[in-house]
Amino acid sequence: MRLSQYFLPVLKEVPKEAEIVSHRMMLRAGMIRQQAAGLYSWLPLGYKVLRKVQDIIEQEQNRAGAIELLMPTLQPADLWRESGRYNDYGKEMLRIEDRHERDLLYGPTNEEMVTDIFRAYVRSYKELPLNLYHIQWKFRDEVRPRFGTMRSREFLMKDAYSFDLDMEGARKAYQRMFVAYLRTYWRMGLTAIPMKADTGPIGGDLSHEFIVLADTGESAVFCHADLLDKAIPSIDTNFLGDLDPIVDDWTSLYASTEEMHDAAEYERSVPADKQISARGIEVGQIFYFGTKYSEPMKATVTGADGKDVAVHMGSYGIGLTRIVPALIEAFHDDDGIIWPVSVAPFEAAILNLKSGDALCDETCEKLYAELQAAGIDTLYDDRSDGAGAKFATADLIGVPYQVILGPRGAKSGEVEIKHRRTGERETIGIADAVSRIVGLVVPERRDTV
Ligand code: P5A
């Protein structure tokens, strides 16, 4: 992408309404625009990050055996009357009446609708296990939408729903999502710790929240320090095999949200030098709730013995539009965002320090063409602005590697490569720049391990 042709409305002023760093930086970097309380447009740069987050989630859901579909944002109220949640959900639910005076709602989650799809088609235990997911906008009329897209009213969620014949099958389905989640967050560069959690309006008796530690997080959490640098299950993980060892390993160390916290157990099981009592951002939550929806909604299958049984279900959510600010809370400095390569809007930027200079232009054009041909997602800053503005923009929007070229380098045949994360700068022959960038970027994509 040529920056002169792009839509990147960077703000000079620090927006006053934004209380936390990620909200400030998303506004300043031209990633989002607030349209009303808790409603945001995703501008091109922000949307590019959101799409990369989405791609990673889809790849890992598919790898774990979940199947993608797409349900609508609006739902008939009658489905929710069947499960009994229409009244329970209260004011967080946005209720709508259509021209025929039929009650609709903007879905805050999809347990009812997916159960309706399941019961329409699935008859036999032989069609199980099944896990269906979609990535769709949700609406919750939060009393206090805040921190930008961290807690908004309309937000993008990945929600998966598993169907199994019995509790043991459902436990395995839960484990597949548990492991998929560990991989998903790791691929984005995030350390997200699974913690025992309360089930709230979704229901059930087994749940984990995936928490990214951050001072600005809304949840108080308690965990064992060793969870912070545990190895992540590899790409070779067999999701059809036994996942007990992985899940047992992760759940054997104490980790709990405030609602489920057991202070005595924490003191007993975690040595004082390993106790972490901190704040965190909930980037996902998974639930097992048995037959809570299948029973009232009559989602049954015929078992091997010929008897009909209500299926055991779980649901598994990830907040995509919350992950983006969570990434910024985790990765920034005073100058701006520091994206991990796997979710960066651009993997590399070319900074032409003297646009209009024939040799600079020619050299940068060639580098730009070659980087793109090598598959590097590249932003070329070809604007006529001065060097200072170009450095500031590249740092603010957080491009991981900057290829910097001015008139002197163009003559001597050298460019500078700046590593955004470490600040390290290396001078390298122009002929070697593309292979150097490829060598830096490709392993950091984390898409083959
Ligand atoms: C699980 C999938 C559910 O809704 N039903 C379907 C279950 N879980 S949840 O925990 O309530 O939400 C899942 C994730 O969505 C994100 N999230 C939000 N993100 C931004 N703004 C909000 N207001 C908001 N509410 C929930 C969180 O990441 C949460 O873990």
Side-chain angles (χ1 to χ4, degrees), residues 258-312:
E258 193 170 27
E259 296 76 29
M260 301 296 278
H261 184 50
D262 176 343
E265 168 70 9
Y266 179 59
E267 293 301 332
R268 191 191 60 73
S269 67
V270 188
D273 64 328
K274 293 280 188 185
Q275 292 181 356
I276 294 186
S277 150
R279 302 199 67 78
I281 302 167
E282 177 204 328
V283 288
Q285 187 168 5
I286 60 178
F287 302 80
Y288 163 70
F289 43 72
T291 59
K292 173 174 171 175
Y293 302 91
S294 56
E295 219 158 81
M297 295 186 67
K298 302 193 176 53
T300 61
V301 292
T302 311
D305 56 4
K307 287 197 187 112
D308 283 354
V309 289
V311 287
H312 283 247

Tab-separated table of all heavy atoms in Angstrom, residues 258-312:
chain	number	residue	atom	x	y	z
A	258	GLU	N	-11.712	-13.295	40.197
A	258	GLU	CA	-12.144	-12.879	41.541
A	258	GLU	C	-13.406	-13.630	42.002
A	258	GLU	O	-13.500	-14.065	43.152
A	258	GLU	CB	-12.420	-11.376	41.521
A	258	GLU	CG	-12.562	-10.754	42.889
A	258	GLU	CD	-12.588	-9.232	42.814
A	258	GLU	OE1	-13.002	-8.694	41.763
A	258	GLU	OE2	-12.199	-8.603	43.804
A	259	GLU	N	-14.359	-13.809	41.081
A	259	GLU	CA	-15.653	-14.417	41.428
A	259	GLU	C	-15.489	-15.837	41.957
A	259	GLU	O	-16.280	-16.294	42.777
A	259	GLU	CB	-16.593	-14.453	40.216
A	259	GLU	CG	-17.024	-13.094	39.667
A	259	GLU	CD	-15.943	-12.398	38.862
A	259	GLU	OE1	-15.106	-13.113	38.253
A	259	GLU	OE2	-15.909	-11.158	38.849
A	260	MET	N	-14.478	-16.560	41.477
A	260	MET	CA	-14.290	-17.962	41.865
A	260	MET	C	-13.108	-18.125	42.829
A	260	MET	O	-12.741	-19.244	43.172
A	260	MET	CB	-14.041	-18.822	40.614
A	260	MET	CG	-15.145	-18.803	39.587
A	260	MET	SD	-16.676	-19.494	40.220
A	260	MET	CE	-16.330	-21.231	39.985
A	261	HIS	N	-12.521	-17.011	43.242
A	261	HIS	CA	-11.283	-17.059	44.024
A	261	HIS	C	-11.490	-17.713	45.396
A	261	HIS	O	-12.434	-17.397	46.104
A	261	HIS	CB	-10.749	-15.639	44.201
A	261	HIS	CG	-9.432	-15.580	44.910
A	261	HIS	ND1	-8.357	-16.364	44.545
A	261	HIS	CD2	-8.999	-14.815	45.955
A	261	HIS	CE1	-7.329	-16.101	45.341
A	261	HIS	NE2	-7.695	-15.163	46.206
A	262	ASP	N	-10.556	-18.616	45.726
A	262	ASP	CA	-10.572	-19.299	47.012
A	262	ASP	C	-9.244	-18.947	47.692
A	262	ASP	O	-8.198	-19.556	47.410
A	262	ASP	CB	-10.703	-20.811	46.763
A	262	ASP	CG	-10.639	-21.629	48.042
A	262	ASP	OD1	-10.187	-21.087	49.076
A	262	ASP	OD2	-11.024	-22.805	47.992
A	263	ALA	N	-9.304	-17.930	48.563
A	263	ALA	CA	-8.073	-17.377	49.148
A	263	ALA	C	-7.266	-18.435	49.904
A	263	ALA	O	-6.031	-18.472	49.811
A	263	ALA	CB	-8.417	-16.203	50.061
A	264	ALA	N	-7.963	-19.312	50.618
A	264	ALA	CA	-7.263	-20.328	51.414
A	264	ALA	C	-6.511	-21.293	50.492
A	264	ALA	O	-5.338	-21.617	50.720
A	264	ALA	CB	-8.275	-21.078	52.273
A	265	GLU	N	-7.178	-21.719	49.449
A	265	GLU	CA	-6.573	-22.643	48.479
A	265	GLU	C	-5.362	-21.990	47.781
A	265	GLU	O	-4.321	-22.615	47.560
A	265	GLU	CB	-7.650	-23.052	47.453
A	265	GLU	CG	-7.175	-23.772	46.215
A	265	GLU	CD	-6.688	-25.187	46.502
A	265	GLU	OE1	-6.886	-25.654	47.653
A	265	GLU	OE2	-6.098	-25.791	45.586
A	266	TYR	N	-5.504	-20.729	47.454
A	266	TYR	CA	-4.433	-19.949	46.808
A	266	TYR	C	-3.195	-19.910	47.709
A	266	TYR	O	-2.084	-20.213	47.268
A	266	TYR	CB	-4.983	-18.554	46.550
A	266	TYR	CG	-4.065	-17.541	45.907
A	266	TYR	CD1	-3.495	-17.757	44.645
A	266	TYR	CD2	-3.800	-16.320	46.547
A	266	TYR	CE1	-2.695	-16.792	44.059
A	266	TYR	CE2	-3.005	-15.349	45.959
A	266	TYR	CZ	-2.451	-15.592	44.714
A	266	TYR	OH	-1.671	-14.629	44.126
A	267	GLU	N	-3.398	-19.569	48.978
A	267	GLU	CA	-2.286	-19.489	49.924
A	267	GLU	C	-1.631	-20.852	50.130
A	267	GLU	O	-0.415	-20.954	50.245
A	267	GLU	CB	-2.770	-18.951	51.290
A	267	GLU	CG	-3.224	-17.501	51.267
A	267	GLU	CD	-2.131	-16.531	50.797
A	267	GLU	OE1	-0.935	-16.838	50.985
A	267	GLU	OE2	-2.483	-15.476	50.228
A	268	ARG	N	-2.477	-21.892	50.127
A	268	ARG	CA	-1.968	-23.243	50.374
A	268	ARG	C	-1.177	-23.779	49.179
A	268	ARG	O	-0.145	-24.415	49.327
A	268	ARG	CB	-3.158	-24.174	50.669
A	268	ARG	CG	-2.776	-25.552	51.206
A	268	ARG	CD	-3.959	-26.495	51.215
A	268	ARG	NE	-4.545	-26.716	49.886
A	268	ARG	CZ	-3.981	-27.435	48.927
A	268	ARG	NH1	-2.818	-28.010	49.129
A	268	ARG	NH2	-4.574	-27.564	47.759
A	269	SER	N	-1.672	-23.501	47.958
A	269	SER	CA	-1.100	-24.186	46.792
A	269	SER	C	-0.077	-23.356	46.014
A	269	SER	O	0.634	-23.915	45.183
A	269	SER	CB	-2.227	-24.624	45.848
A	269	SER	OG	-2.857	-23.494	45.281
A	270	VAL	N	0.009	-22.050	46.264
A	270	VAL	CA	0.980	-21.243	45.510
A	270	VAL	C	2.012	-20.651	46.473
A	270	VAL	O	1.651	-19.902	47.375
A	270	VAL	CB	0.275	-20.089	44.738
A	270	VAL	CG1	1.260	-19.377	43.818
A	270	VAL	CG2	-0.929	-20.607	43.959
A	271	PRO	N	3.316	-20.989	46.295
A	271	PRO	CA	4.344	-20.408	47.163
A	271	PRO	C	4.335	-18.870	47.046
A	271	PRO	O	4.041	-18.340	45.967
A	271	PRO	CB	5.659	-20.963	46.612
A	271	PRO	CG	5.313	-21.950	45.561
A	271	PRO	CD	3.856	-21.877	45.262
A	272	ALA	N	4.654	-18.201	48.145
A	272	ALA	CA	4.538	-16.728	48.187
A	272	ALA	C	5.264	-16.055	47.022
A	272	ALA	O	4.752	-15.104	46.431
A	272	ALA	CB	5.071	-16.217	49.513
A	273	ASP	N	6.469	-16.556	46.656
A	273	ASP	CA	7.227	-15.896	45.581
A	273	ASP	C	6.651	-16.181	44.191
A	273	ASP	O	7.171	-15.703	43.186
A	273	ASP	CB	8.697	-16.307	45.649
A	273	ASP	CG	8.889	-17.795	45.400
A	273	ASP	OD1	7.982	-18.581	45.763
A	273	ASP	OD2	9.940	-18.177	44.838
A	274	LYS	N	5.599	-17.023	44.140
A	274	LYS	CA	4.988	-17.334	42.834
A	274	LYS	C	3.572	-16.772	42.721
A	274	LYS	O	2.878	-17.000	41.731
A	274	LYS	CB	4.921	-18.862	42.637
A	274	LYS	CG	6.275	-19.530	42.499
A	274	LYS	CD	6.823	-19.374	41.098
A	274	LYS	CE	8.098	-20.209	40.905
A	274	LYS	NZ	8.689	-19.968	39.576
A	275	GLN	N	3.127	-16.077	43.759
A	275	GLN	CA	1.745	-15.577	43.745
A	275	GLN	C	1.616	-14.323	42.882
A	275	GLN	O	2.330	-13.351	43.091
A	275	GLN	CB	1.282	-15.259	45.176
A	275	GLN	CG	1.124	-16.506	46.028
A	275	GLN	CD	0.645	-16.206	47.438
A	275	GLN	OE1	0.498	-15.048	47.828
A	275	GLN	NE2	0.416	-17.255	48.209
A	276	ILE	N	0.712	-14.377	41.949
A	276	ILE	CA	0.416	-13.179	41.150
A	276	ILE	C	-1.023	-12.776	41.427
A	276	ILE	O	-1.967	-13.523	41.168
A	276	ILE	CB	0.594	-13.435	39.641
A	276	ILE	CG1	2.063	-13.703	39.338
A	276	ILE	CG2	0.087	-12.241	38.838
A	276	ILE	CD1	2.374	-13.820	37.876
A	277	SER	N	-1.179	-11.581	41.990
A	277	SER	CA	-2.500	-11.034	42.195
A	277	SER	C	-2.520	-9.754	41.371
A	277	SER	O	-1.790	-8.804	41.660
A	277	SER	CB	-2.677	-10.776	43.695
A	277	SER	OG	-3.536	-9.695	43.892
A	278	ALA	N	-3.309	-9.764	40.298
A	278	ALA	CA	-3.170	-8.695	39.308
A	278	ALA	C	-4.514	-8.365	38.674
A	278	ALA	O	-5.548	-8.895	39.085
A	278	ALA	CB	-2.180	-9.131	38.236
A	279	ARG	N	-4.459	-7.497	37.681
A	279	ARG	CA	-5.663	-7.208	36.912
A	279	ARG	C	-5.487	-7.784	35.515
A	279	ARG	O	-4.367	-7.998	35.042
A	279	ARG	CB	-5.922	-5.707	36.860
A	279	ARG	CG	-6.069	-5.091	38.257
A	279	ARG	CD	-6.766	-3.762	38.237
A	279	ARG	NE	-8.159	-3.853	37.838
A	279	ARG	CZ	-9.156	-4.257	38.648
A	279	ARG	NH1	-8.904	-4.649	39.876
A	279	ARG	NH2	-10.394	-4.278	38.206
A	280	GLY	N	-6.631	-8.079	34.859
A	280	GLY	CA	-6.530	-8.712	33.555
A	280	GLY	C	-7.688	-8.375	32.638
A	280	GLY	O	-8.737	-7.904	33.079
A	281	ILE	N	-7.451	-8.607	31.345
A	281	ILE	CA	-8.459	-8.377	30.310
A	281	ILE	C	-8.983	-9.739	29.857
A	281	ILE	O	-8.191	-10.606	29.468
A	281	ILE	CB	-7.845	-7.648	29.097
A	281	ILE	CG1	-7.227	-6.312	29.523
A	281	ILE	CG2	-8.883	-7.452	27.993
A	281	ILE	CD1	-6.331	-5.676	28.464
A	282	GLU	N	-10.300	-9.906	29.887
A	282	GLU	CA	-10.902	-11.175	29.477
A	282	GLU	C	-11.042	-11.181	27.949
A	282	GLU	O	-11.929	-10.534	27.402
A	282	GLU	CB	-12.280	-11.319	30.133
A	282	GLU	CG	-13.021	-12.562	29.726
A	282	GLU	CD	-14.532	-12.409	29.902
A	282	GLU	OE1	-14.973	-11.696	30.819
A	282	GLU	OE2	-15.264	-13.011	29.094
A	283	VAL	N	-10.164	-11.944	27.274
A	283	VAL	CA	-10.210	-11.969	25.808
A	283	VAL	C	-11.006	-13.161	25.270
A	283	VAL	O	-11.199	-13.290	24.058
A	283	VAL	CB	-8.795	-11.944	25.188
A	283	VAL	CG1	-8.172	-10.560	25.357
A	283	VAL	CG2	-7.899	-13.019	25.795
A	284	GLY	N	-11.466	-14.028	26.176
A	284	GLY	CA	-12.281	-15.151	25.735
A	284	GLY	C	-12.853	-15.868	26.935
A	284	GLY	O	-12.360	-15.715	28.057
A	285	GLN	N	-13.927	-16.618	26.701
A	285	GLN	CA	-14.475	-17.437	27.789
A	285	GLN	C	-15.126	-18.672	27.190
A	285	GLN	O	-15.790	-18.603	26.147
A	285	GLN	CB	-15.491	-16.648	28.625
A	285	GLN	CG	-15.939	-17.441	29.867
A	285	GLN	CD	-16.713	-16.619	30.878
A	285	GLN	OE1	-17.015	-15.454	30.648
A	285	GLN	NE2	-17.051	-17.230	32.006
A	286	ILE	N	-14.938	-19.813	27.865
A	286	ILE	CA	-15.525	-21.070	27.391
A	286	ILE	C	-16.406	-21.660	28.492
A	286	ILE	O	-16.146	-21.458	29.677
A	286	ILE	CB	-14.436	-22.072	26.926
A	286	ILE	CG1	-13.468	-22.423	28.063
A	286	ILE	CG2	-13.665	-21.488	25.747
A	286	ILE	CD1	-12.411	-23.453	27.651
A	287	PHE	N	-17.465	-22.365	28.066
A	287	PHE	CA	-18.482	-22.855	29.003
A	287	PHE	C	-18.876	-24.292	28.662
A	287	PHE	O	-18.987	-24.646	27.482
A	287	PHE	CB	-19.784	-22.047	28.870
A	287	PHE	CG	-19.655	-20.566	29.083
A	287	PHE	CD1	-19.188	-19.727	28.069
A	287	PHE	CD2	-20.027	-19.993	30.293
A	287	PHE	CE1	-19.098	-18.355	28.261
A	287	PHE	CE2	-19.944	-18.626	30.490
A	287	PHE	CZ	-19.475	-17.800	29.474
A	288	TYR	N	-19.132	-25.083	29.693
A	288	TYR	CA	-19.869	-26.342	29.516
A	288	TYR	C	-21.160	-26.182	30.294
A	288	TYR	O	-21.140	-25.852	31.490
A	288	TYR	CB	-19.060	-27.537	30.060
A	288	TYR	CG	-19.937	-28.753	30.261
A	288	TYR	CD1	-20.456	-29.444	29.159
A	288	TYR	CD2	-20.274	-29.182	31.542
A	288	TYR	CE1	-21.297	-30.533	29.345
A	288	TYR	CE2	-21.115	-30.270	31.729
A	288	TYR	CZ	-21.621	-30.937	30.624
A	288	TYR	OH	-22.457	-31.997	30.808
A	289	PHE	N	-22.306	-26.352	29.615
A	289	PHE	CA	-23.571	-26.181	30.339
A	289	PHE	C	-24.543	-27.336	30.112
A	289	PHE	O	-25.748	-27.202	30.381
A	289	PHE	CB	-24.229	-24.843	30.013
A	289	PHE	CG	-24.183	-24.483	28.545
A	289	PHE	CD1	-24.976	-25.150	27.637
A	289	PHE	CD2	-23.340	-23.487	28.098
A	289	PHE	CE1	-24.937	-24.832	26.292
A	289	PHE	CE2	-23.293	-23.160	26.737
A	289	PHE	CZ	-24.089	-23.835	25.842
A	290	GLY	N	-24.039	-28.477	29.650
A	290	GLY	CA	-24.877	-29.679	29.586
A	290	GLY	C	-26.125	-29.487	28.744
A	290	GLY	O	-26.055	-29.102	27.590
A	291	THR	N	-27.280	-29.730	29.355
A	291	THR	CA	-28.529	-29.738	28.585
A	291	THR	C	-29.389	-28.493	28.847
A	291	THR	O	-30.585	-28.497	28.603
A	291	THR	CB	-29.342	-31.004	28.931
A	291	THR	OG1	-29.599	-30.991	30.347
A	291	THR	CG2	-28.585	-32.271	28.579
A	292	LYS	N	-28.734	-27.420	29.344
A	292	LYS	CA	-29.486	-26.204	29.691
A	292	LYS	C	-30.360	-25.676	28.538
A	292	LYS	O	-31.466	-25.197	28.752
A	292	LYS	CB	-28.528	-25.112	30.172
A	292	LYS	CG	-29.242	-23.792	30.386
A	292	LYS	CD	-28.413	-22.700	30.993
A	292	LYS	CE	-29.257	-21.422	30.887
A	292	LYS	NZ	-28.726	-20.266	31.498
A	293	TYR	N	-29.863	-25.758	27.312
A	293	TYR	CA	-30.649	-25.287	26.158
A	293	TYR	C	-31.296	-26.438	25.403
A	293	TYR	O	-32.400	-26.317	24.883
A	293	TYR	CB	-29.776	-24.465	25.198
A	293	TYR	CG	-29.165	-23.274	25.895
A	293	TYR	CD1	-27.915	-23.370	26.516
A	293	TYR	CD2	-29.860	-22.080	25.985
A	293	TYR	CE1	-27.376	-22.285	27.200
A	293	TYR	CE2	-29.333	-20.991	26.663
A	293	TYR	CZ	-28.086	-21.104	27.274
A	293	TYR	OH	-27.562	-20.043	27.953
A	294	SER	N	-30.584	-27.566	25.314
A	294	SER	CA	-31.097	-28.684	24.512
A	294	SER	C	-32.369	-29.270	25.112
A	294	SER	O	-33.254	-29.716	24.375
A	294	SER	CB	-30.023	-29.769	24.361
A	294	SER	OG	-29.587	-30.200	25.624
A	295	GLU	N	-32.473	-29.243	26.446
A	295	GLU	CA	-33.660	-29.834	27.063
A	295	GLU	C	-34.927	-29.016	26.792
A	295	GLU	O	-35.862	-29.532	26.188
A	295	GLU	CB	-33.438	-30.048	28.554
A	295	GLU	CG	-34.046	-31.356	29.021
A	295	GLU	CD	-33.406	-31.836	30.295
A	295	GLU	OE1	-33.802	-31.328	31.353
A	295	GLU	OE2	-32.500	-32.686	30.229
A	296	PRO	N	-34.955	-27.730	27.164
A	296	PRO	CA	-36.181	-26.964	26.881
A	296	PRO	C	-36.447	-26.825	25.387
A	296	PRO	O	-37.606	-26.733	24.966
A	296	PRO	CB	-35.909	-25.594	27.521
A	296	PRO	CG	-34.438	-25.512	27.709
A	296	PRO	CD	-33.969	-26.920	27.911
A	297	MET	N	-35.401	-26.814	24.566
A	297	MET	CA	-35.600	-26.606	23.128
A	297	MET	C	-35.714	-27.928	22.364
A	297	MET	O	-35.789	-27.943	21.145
A	297	MET	CB	-34.476	-25.735	22.554
A	297	MET	CG	-34.497	-24.312	23.128
A	297	MET	SD	-33.296	-23.214	22.353
A	297	MET	CE	-33.965	-23.092	20.695
A	298	LYS	N	-35.680	-29.022	23.115
A	298	LYS	CA	-35.861	-30.364	22.526
A	298	LYS	C	-34.860	-30.665	21.403
A	298	LYS	O	-35.233	-31.126	20.321
A	298	LYS	CB	-37.297	-30.544	22.021
A	298	LYS	CG	-38.317	-30.338	23.136
A	298	LYS	CD	-39.704	-30.822	22.745
A	298	LYS	CE	-40.681	-30.702	23.901
A	298	LYS	NZ	-40.734	-29.327	24.498
A	299	ALA	N	-33.607	-30.411	21.681
A	299	ALA	CA	-32.540	-30.798	20.745
A	299	ALA	C	-32.025	-32.161	21.194
A	299	ALA	O	-31.175	-32.261	22.080
A	299	ALA	CB	-31.421	-29.763	20.754
A	300	THR	N	-32.596	-33.191	20.609
A	300	THR	CA	-32.259	-34.548	21.039
A	300	THR	C	-31.700	-35.364	19.878
A	300	THR	O	-31.913	-35.021	18.714
A	300	THR	CB	-33.516	-35.281	21.559
A	300	THR	OG1	-34.460	-35.356	20.488
A	300	THR	CG2	-34.149	-34.542	22.733
A	301	VAL	N	-30.975	-36.415	20.210
A	301	VAL	CA	-30.549	-37.393	19.201
A	301	VAL	C	-30.899	-38.788	19.721
A	301	VAL	O	-31.053	-38.989	20.929
A	301	VAL	CB	-29.026	-37.340	18.923
A	301	VAL	CG1	-28.635	-36.040	18.246
A	301	VAL	CG2	-28.218	-37.560	20.202
A	302	THR	N	-31.005	-39.710	18.778
A	302	THR	CA	-31.237	-41.098	19.159
A	302	THR	C	-29.894	-41.748	19.440
A	302	THR	O	-28.987	-41.709	18.605
A	302	THR	CB	-31.955	-41.843	18.012
A	302	THR	OG1	-33.058	-41.036	17.604
A	302	THR	CG2	-32.445	-43.200	18.465
A	303	GLY	N	-29.749	-42.300	20.633
A	303	GLY	CA	-28.496	-42.942	21.020
A	303	GLY	C	-28.383	-44.356	20.463
A	303	GLY	O	-29.308	-44.846	19.789
A	304	ALA	N	-27.267	-45.040	20.748
A	304	ALA	CA	-27.019	-46.389	20.239
A	304	ALA	C	-28.090	-47.362	20.729
A	304	ALA	O	-28.411	-48.345	20.059
A	304	ALA	CB	-25.637	-46.856	20.679
A	305	ASP	N	-28.664	-47.076	21.889
A	305	ASP	CA	-29.689	-47.961	22.463
A	305	ASP	C	-31.097	-47.636	21.956
A	305	ASP	O	-32.094	-48.187	22.438
A	305	ASP	CB	-29.661	-47.851	23.993
A	305	ASP	CG	-29.852	-46.415	24.473
A	305	ASP	OD1	-30.080	-45.519	23.610
A	305	ASP	OD2	-29.764	-46.173	25.689
A	306	GLY	N	-31.207	-46.721	20.978
A	306	GLY	CA	-32.511	-46.389	20.405
A	306	GLY	C	-33.297	-45.353	21.194
A	306	GLY	O	-34.370	-44.938	20.770
A	307	LYS	N	-32.756	-44.910	22.323
A	307	LYS	CA	-33.471	-43.920	23.144
A	307	LYS	C	-33.060	-42.502	22.770
A	307	LYS	O	-31.899	-42.245	22.467
A	307	LYS	CB	-33.162	-44.148	24.628
A	307	LYS	CG	-33.845	-45.387	25.194
A	307	LYS	CD	-33.860	-45.326	26.729
A	307	LYS	CE	-34.368	-46.625	27.313
A	307	LYS	NZ	-33.322	-47.384	28.024
A	308	ASP	N	-34.026	-41.548	22.833
A	308	ASP	CA	-33.721	-40.148	22.549
A	308	ASP	C	-33.147	-39.460	23.784
A	308	ASP	O	-33.708	-39.597	24.882
A	308	ASP	CB	-34.993	-39.402	22.117
A	308	ASP	CG	-35.367	-39.736	20.682
A	308	ASP	OD1	-34.571	-40.455	20.017
A	308	ASP	OD2	-36.430	-39.297	20.226
A	309	VAL	N	-32.044	-38.736	23.587
A	309	VAL	CA	-31.473	-37.977	24.713
A	309	VAL	C	-31.157	-36.547	24.285
A	309	VAL	O	-30.810	-36.296	23.127
A	309	VAL	CB	-30.172	-38.613	25.258
A	309	VAL	CG1	-30.464	-39.908	25.988
A	309	VAL	CG2	-29.154	-38.837	24.142
A	310	ALA	N	-31.310	-35.624	25.233
A	310	ALA	CA	-30.930	-34.225	24.972
A	310	ALA	C	-29.406	-34.150	24.889
A	310	ALA	O	-28.705	-34.762	25.704
A	310	ALA	CB	-31.450	-33.328	26.089
A	311	VAL	N	-28.895	-33.422	23.899
A	311	VAL	CA	-27.435	-33.367	23.713
A	311	VAL	C	-26.775	-32.473	24.769
A	311	VAL	O	-27.382	-31.550	25.300
A	311	VAL	CB	-27.052	-32.854	22.301
A	311	VAL	CG1	-27.332	-33.909	21.254
A	311	VAL	CG2	-27.745	-31.537	21.965
A	312	HIS	N	-25.511	-32.802	25.044
A	312	HIS	CA	-24.709	-31.998	25.972
A	312	HIS	C	-23.957	-30.936	25.190
A	312	HIS	O	-23.310	-31.241	24.185
A	312	HIS	CB	-23.729	-32.886	26.742
A	312	HIS	CG	-24.400	-33.655	27.831
A	312	HIS	ND1	-24.154	-33.432	29.154
A	312	HIS	CD2	-25.353	-34.626	27.761
A	312	HIS	CE1	-24.911	-34.238	29.879
A	312	HIS	NE2	-25.648	-34.983	29.054
